[in-house]
Amino acid sequence: MTDRPEYPGRRPQTDGLPKTEPLTPSQLRQNAAAKRMLRRLVQGESPPTAPLSIVDRLTGSPYANPMIQVGGVDTSARKTLDFVLHLAETMFRYGAGALEVETSIIAVTAALGLKNIEVDITNQSVGINYAPKDQTPIALLRVVRSWTNNYAGLAKVHQLVTDIVAGGVGRDEAIRRLDEAITSPKPFPRWLVTVAFGTFAAVFVGVLGGGPVSSAIAFVANIGISLLARQLGRWRVPDFFITASCSFVVTQLALVLWQFGLTTSPAIVVVGGILLLLPTGRLVSSVQDAINGFPVTAAGRFLSTLLTFGAIVAGIAVAFVVGELTGMQRIDVTETFPPAYDLWVLVLFVAVAVMAIGITEQTTWKLLLPTAGVGVAGYFVLLAANQLGVGDRFSPALAAVVIGLLARVVALRMGAPQLVVAVPAALILLPGLTIFRSMYVLTIEEAEILLGAGGMLNAGAIVLGTAGGIVLGDTLARPLTRSLASNERRRARRR
């Protein structure tokens, strides 16, 4: 018998046994895939105790796989680190979350050729340690001492980071563009921001069920507290007392006008005044930081948010006490308010309210209408959830998930971070009416103190659920926006 050569995919033949057919290419690929899967299950791709590369933190962000610039490793590392710290400080001042700041630092340093970077972020500081092998390490720290509303500036910084990661901007050009973003004037003048405060209150009072008179009162009251807050800020009054003073003024004004019969719904007027005082941006950032593994930053922002809520509650409570001492008639806090307008009018009011919030947060003109569209979509989800009987706590959270998801898609398409779109769109979900009623019961109705405390806990659950829903929506949208981030970077390379 002659020996036959063995061929790949052919099993050996023995006398007395049936012959087998050779394996097809498809079967060979399946066998190879099965072997690889078995090897992964048994062995694993990397040792379980191996340290995580810092560049892996960019996974899921718009800056994944940064392009290292042709010049190689930057020899003047100190200048690069100074620029990156200035960039991070600016992002923090404009309201960015800790994860966004960290990924921006890692992406920019990697794109500019710096390896061996470690980043440490707390509530008010950013630290960078650069320790190349066999060289003197450099450790730098920058403290963030002030905050401002400037979503347009935050969008410019986001676009700058995108261009750097795409390899189209060098360090010197990046320094010039960052300085330009910081020194450029905000898109809206102060008088327009003041008018936007009043406009938001007026249209949102209409959404809650107030009539034209209540909307007019809310408009005037909010312009007044906006001017009051600006003047107190010039006098260097702490933010806590500024917020407490504004909530006191708007509550006292609503009570006085109600006593004279000029409004039938003082609670709605107060809600329109305090919603813009709520620290929505900080709350969303703090929840995002806590979920993404920045406990120190989240704790600091939570404390700042809690103090702001405390200031609002204190102002409302003092106004109630003053009203009680002066013999004002008590309010029926159980009163409900049916819609005062048709649904299409309410939808229009929500869109105008969201755009007014965007103006107060100093977003860009091109983002106003898309942000309003996201807010209207969230409002429809809120109405649908209420119709289905989901509940007062879960309905805002469900609407916030949709807002967070859509906000990431819209923001990346428009060259901005998700927070810039999500925060203005989600403000309409916050339970201002529940806060007002609970504080009234806690302050005036001593026999119902447990009912008031339960109402405040319910309001807190809705606020945290809304913030968590925005973060969840952002997380769910990440797999859907990978192509958007890459397209944005390709456009930057063509420029």
Side-chain angles (χ1 to χ4, degrees):
M1 186 180 70
T2 59
D3 294 332
R4 294 184 179 181
E6 294 292 334
Y7 295 99
R10 182 187 296 273
R11 295 187 180 94
Q13 300 180 10
T14 57
D15 293 340
L17 295 177
K19 298 181 180 180
T20 58
E21 296 296 329
L23 297 178
T24 63
S26 176
Q27 292 173 327
L28 289 174
R29 286 193 298 269
Q30 291 176 0
N31 288 345
K35 292 178 181 179
R36 286 196 299 269
M37 180 62 69
L38 181 61
R39 190 182 303 113
R40 289 174 183 173
L41 292 174
V42 176
Q43 179 179 343
E45 294 183 353
S46 61
T49 57
L52 177 68
S53 173
I54 193 170
V55 181
D56 291 341
R57 293 285 287 174
L58 300 178
T59 303
S61 74
Y63 315 128
N65 302 318
M67 177 178 289
I68 308 300
Q69 298 192 13
V70 180
V73 177
D74 194 345
T75 56
S76 55
R78 174 59 190 266
K79 190 173 182 179
T80 301
L81 294 177
D82 285 336
F83 161 71
V84 173
L85 276 178
H86 196 192
L87 179 81
E89 178 198 11
T90 303
M91 296 181 69
F92 254 132
R93 288 184 63 242
Y94 293 164
L99 180 63
E100 184 181 355
V101 175
E102 185 192 58
T103 53
S104 298
I105 293 174
I106 297 171
V108 171
T109 53
L112 295 180
L114 292 185
K115 300 180 180 179
N116 307 301
I117 290 288
E118 291 294 339
V119 182
D120 184 31
I121 297 177
T122 63
N123 184 40
Q124 289 184 305
S125 64
V126 181
I128 298 181
N129 182 56
Y130 175 56
K133 187 176 181 181
D134 300 329
Q135 296 184 31
T136 303
I138 302 175
L140 301 176
L141 178 71
R142 184 68 61 91
V143 177
V144 185
R145 294 185 174 88
S146 63
W147 291 265
T148 184
N149 294 336
N150 193 351
Y151 280 176
L154 184 59
K156 289 181 180 178
V157 175
H158 172 87
Q159 189 60 52
L160 173 60
V161 175
T162 301
D163 293 343
I164 294 173
V165 173
V169 177
R171 188 186 61 196
D172 294 337
E173 175 67 14
I175 293 174
R176 185 194 64 79
R177 285 181 54 178
L178 179 61
D179 292 337
E180 180 182 338
I182 295 172
T183 57
S184 60
K186 295 180 179 181
F188 304 106
R190 286 186 175 181
W191 67 266
L192 185 56
V193 172
T194 303
V195 173
F197 263 95
T199 302
F200 167 80
V203 296
F204 195 72
V205 163
V207 172
L208 293 177
V213 176
S214 298
S215 294
I217 294 173
F219 179 82
V220 175
N222 269 260
I223 289 181
I225 65 174
S226 176
L227 297 175
L228 174 63
R230 191 172 300 166
Q231 184 60 47
L232 293 177
R234 294 193 188 101
W235 292 344
R236 302 292 183 181
V237 177
D239 290 340
F240 179 89
F241 297 110
I242 293 176
T243 304
S245 300
C246 291
S247 62
F248 168 80
V249 169
V250 70
T251 305
Q252 191 65 36
L253 179 62
L255 293 177
V256 170
L257 294 177
W258 179 66
Q259 292 296 319
F260 285 98
L262 297 178
T263 179
T264 59
S265 52
I268 292 182
V269 174
V270 175
V271 171
I274 67 173
L275 271 187
L276 281 177
L277 300 176
L278 295 174
T280 313
R282 269 179 290 166
L283 179 63
V284 173
S285 296
S286 60
V287 172
Q288 191 175 39
D289 293 343
I291 293 174
N292 291 326
F294 296 90
V296 176
T297 307
R301 284 181 165 170
F302 268 127
L303 178 60
S304 176
T305 303
L306 183 62
L307 285 175
T308 303
F309 274 110
I312 295 173
V313 168
I316 296 174
V318 172
F320 286 153
V321 171
V322 172
E324 187 75 6
L325 293 176
T326 55
M328 290 185 180
Q329 185 180 357
R330 294 193 175 187
I331 300 174
D332 182 12
V333 295
T334 61
E335 181 184 4
T336 58
F337 305 98
Y341 303 95
D342 295 334
L343 179 60
W344 70 270
V345 179
L346 298 180
V347 171
L348 181 62
F349 281 173
V350 169
V352 173
V354 172
M355 286 191 289
I357 300 168
I359 292 175
T360 61
E361 297 289 353
Q362 293 290 351
T363 190
T364 58
W365 281 100
K366 67 177 183 178
L367 280 174
L368 287 180
L369 285 178
T371 304
V374 173
V376 169
Y379 182 67
F380 278 128
V381 173
L382 179 67
L383 293 179
N386 287 329
Q387 290 294 324
L388 294 174
V390 174
D392 293 337
R393 292 183 182 179
F394 192 70
S395 295
L398 185 62
V401 172
V402 175
I403 288 176
L405 191 151
L406 294 178
R408 181 176 177 88
V409 176
V410 171
L412 284 182
R413 283 189 177 275
M414 304 295 290
Q418 185 250 13
L419 190 74
V420 172
V421 177
V423 170
L427 191 62
I428 59 174
L429 304 177
L430 297 184
L433 197 57
T434 303
I435 295 174
F436 174 85
R437 288 169 172 167
S438 302
M439 279 312 304
Y440 186 86
V441 172
L442 279 173
T443 307
I444 304 301
E445 305 289 344
E446 296 181 359
E448 302 291 342
I449 187 171
L450 293 179
L451 180 62
M456 287 302 297
L457 289 176
N458 185 42
I462 295 174
V463 170
L464 290 177
T466 301
I470 293 174
V471 178
L472 176 60
D474 177 67
T475 304
L476 294 176
R478 288 183 181 181
L480 307 176
T481 53
R482 290 173 182 169
S483 60
L484 293 179
S486 60
N487 290 336
E488 183 178 331
R489 289 170 59 183
R490 282 196 292 268
R491 289 195 300 269
R493 291 192 189 104
R494 287 198 295 267
R495 287 197 297 268

